[in-house]
């Protein structure tokens, strides 16, 4: 046990550092002098029976009085602090797993024990964001081989709890991303749960896209479920659509994703480990993975997709998952909405069997749901897609979606953006190509996903004939400033939608 410093009293400074825990001290604080603390030191912070690890920031002005210390908002909540509470600080012992990270930075191969040390320390929040970023960067690109991906996946599973269900077959699905508007999950979960299968769907928030499934579902229901609530929903309805970060399965993954989002990095090896560790931790036995391939999708070539398919299958098998990989068309956005509220509106339209519902989203969701249904012995001799269609078109899927939302905390109407900008065709012709990445960037600049109703409503699929000045898409924003950000970017771009 380390010798702790003399006590200080907490003052709430109201400083938001996102999820990075920070402790603030005056430069002339006796603790700084006696302990030799300097800015950016990692220190143990104890308030009552709660201890966290935080980065030290030094205050030069008089915002703190002598004998006072401050905490960032996230740190304040983590230790349940109150104004005037006693706080004690202690030196953090060197984090030994950083030796493994440094080894990886020099392109050495790591074994399972090394990944276990790193992931355990990340889970225990012994790493600063800078140290986490160094690990993510060292593993990015093709810097993880197949054995390392297996080891990383196992380490991430072992760092958290694993759910157990009473069903022999527990199903799930995931799309690797890179395709704007491809929000099939709410539809698929509703169909599969309505068919009687167990599908405990935990979803991520956006990393580099305008919306993750958790962002999208949050516009209509509660997704921040704790573990007991998630279990209750699944036991009652057969499925759920919850944010994985609130449940604590594969907890290190949520910390990694937070930093990946800031870096706008989504490396293949870590993506595989992230996806499969979450599926295994959620108790899934069978998983469908969708890999869209296209010139401006995340996965750009069939060759890359086949390699990724092999990795998903082999790594999945190593952790006890039966994985079916689908390589799909990633040449253009799916549906019309790009952004949380706009995407859920598409999903609801499909689930309600509205005549104007986007057909491409419907058919893609039916294909995914059909593949999942065929995992079960109950449906192996049936056409899974046809069965999925019957469930959807009968209204059972919409009823199940409503029931899941109500079980998670109630269903509400998604917000509608106040500000809009129509983008018109500059000439007559046929839409021949769409830049997925730049369409997604427009949606993000307009505010998605942090502004839930922001994004792009897209009306120009490949093959559509358009006249000059015909509407191609509409940008939605919650503020004039965000609309101007997107508009300024758009003025510098050509051929986001190519018309010949």
């Amino acid at each position: 046990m380390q010798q702790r410093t003399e006590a200080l009293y907490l003052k709430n400074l109201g400083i938001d550092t996102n999820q990075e825990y920070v402790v603030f001290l005056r430069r002339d604080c006796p603790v700084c002098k006696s302990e030799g603390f300097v800015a950016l030191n990692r220190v143990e912070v104890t308030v009552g029976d709660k201890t966290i690890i935080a980065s030290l920031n030094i205050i030069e002005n008089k915002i703190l009085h002598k004998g006072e210390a401050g905490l960032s908002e996230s740190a304040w909540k983590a230790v349940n602090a109150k104004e005037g509470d006693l706080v004690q600080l202690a030196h953090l012992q060197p984090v030994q797993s950083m030796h493994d990270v440094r080894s990886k930075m020099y392109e050495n191969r790591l074994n399972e024990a090394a990944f276990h040390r790193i992931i355990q320390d990340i889970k225990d929040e012994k790493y600063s964001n800078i140290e986490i970023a160094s690990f993510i960067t060292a593993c990015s690109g093709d810097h993880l081989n197949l054995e390392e991906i297996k080891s990383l996946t196992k380490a991430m599973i072992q760092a958290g709890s694993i759910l157990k269900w009473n069903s022999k077959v527990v199903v799930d699905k995931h799309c690797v991303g890179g395709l704007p508007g491809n929000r099939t999950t709410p539809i698929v979960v509703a169909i599969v749960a309505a068919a009687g299968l167990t599908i405990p769907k935990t979803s991520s928030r956006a990393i580099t896209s305008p919306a993750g499934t958790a962002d999208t579902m949050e516009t209509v229901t509660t997704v921040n479920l704790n573990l007991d609530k998630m279990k209750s929903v699944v036991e009652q309805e057969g499925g759920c659509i919850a944010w994985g970060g609130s449940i604590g399965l594969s907890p290190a993954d949520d910390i990694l994703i937070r930093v990946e989002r800031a870096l706008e990095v989504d490396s293949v090896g870590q993506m595989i480990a992230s996806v499969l560790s979450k599926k295994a931790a959620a108790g899934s036995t069978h998983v469908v993975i969708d890999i869209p391939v296209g010139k401006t999708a995340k996965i750009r070539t069939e060759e890359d997709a086949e390699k990724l398919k092999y990795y998903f299958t082999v790594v999945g098998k190593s952790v006890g998952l039966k994985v079916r990989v689908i390589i799909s068309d990633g040449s253009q956005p799916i549906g019309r909405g790009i952004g949380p509220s706009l995407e859920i509106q598409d999903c609801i339209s499909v689930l309600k069997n509205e005549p104007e519902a986007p057909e491409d989203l419907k058919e893609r969701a039916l294909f995914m749901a059909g593949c999942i249904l065929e995992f079960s012995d109950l449906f192996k001799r049936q056409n899974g897609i046809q069965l999925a269609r019957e469930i959807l078109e009968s209204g059972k899927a919409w009823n199940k979606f409503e029931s899941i939302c109500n079980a998670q905390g109630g269903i509400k109407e998604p917000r509608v953006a106040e500000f809009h900008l129509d983008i018109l065709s500059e000439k007559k012709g046929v839409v021949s190509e769409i830049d997925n990445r730049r369409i997604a960037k427009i949606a993000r600049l307009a505010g998605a996903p942090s502004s839930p109703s922001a994004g792009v409503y897209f009306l120009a699929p490949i093959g559509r004939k358009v006249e000059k000045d015909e509407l191609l898409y509409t940008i939605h924003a919650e503020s004039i400033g965000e609309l101007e950000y997107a508009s300024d970017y758009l003025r510098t771009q050509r051929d986001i939608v190519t018309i010949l």
Side-chain angles (χ1 to χ4, degrees), residues 163 165 169-173 189 192-193 197-203 230-231 233-235 238-242 247 249 278-279 281-286:
L163 294 180
W165 306 96
V169 173
V170 179
V171 298
D172 209 333
K173 56 84 63 180
V189 170
V192 171
L197 272 63
T198 301
I199 181 164
K201 185 76 179 79
T202 60
S203 298
M230 178 214 179
K231 288 180 178 178
V233 173
V234 175
E235 287 166 0
C240 70
I241 310 172
I247 294 168
L249 301 174
K278 280 284 177 64
K279 304 311 178 191
S284 298
T285 59
H286 295 67

Side-chain angles (χ1 to χ4, degrees), residues 63-74:
I63 192 172
L64 291 172
H65 296 123
K66 287 187 177 180
E68 288 183 334
L71 293 175
S72 62
E73 289 292 287
S74 56

Side-chain angles (χ1 to χ4, degrees), residues 371-383:
C371 291
I372 292 173
L373 293 177
E374 290 172 4
F375 278 140
S376 171
D377 290 338
L378 295 172
F379 308 122
K380 271 186 177 175
R381 291 182 176 83
Q382 299 184 49
N383 183 312

Side-chain angles (χ1 to χ4, degrees), residues 447-462:
S450 55
S451 298
S453 63
V456 170
Y457 193 70
F458 192 78
L459 295 168
I462 291 173

Side-chain angles (χ1 to χ4, degrees), residues 10 46 81 92 107 157 250 255 462 467:
L10 280 178
T46 299
L92 179 66
E107 301 185 2
I157 295 168
S250 186
I255 299 170
I462 291 173
E467 300 294 326

Side-chain angles (χ1 to χ4, degrees), residues 33 149 256 305 322 327 364 387 390 394 418 478 488:
K33 295 180 178 180
I149 298 171
L256 292 171
K322 182 175 177 59
I327 297 175
R364 201 177 190 98
L387 178 59
E390 290 169 7
S394 70
E418 182 178 352
E478 294 184 7
D488 288 346

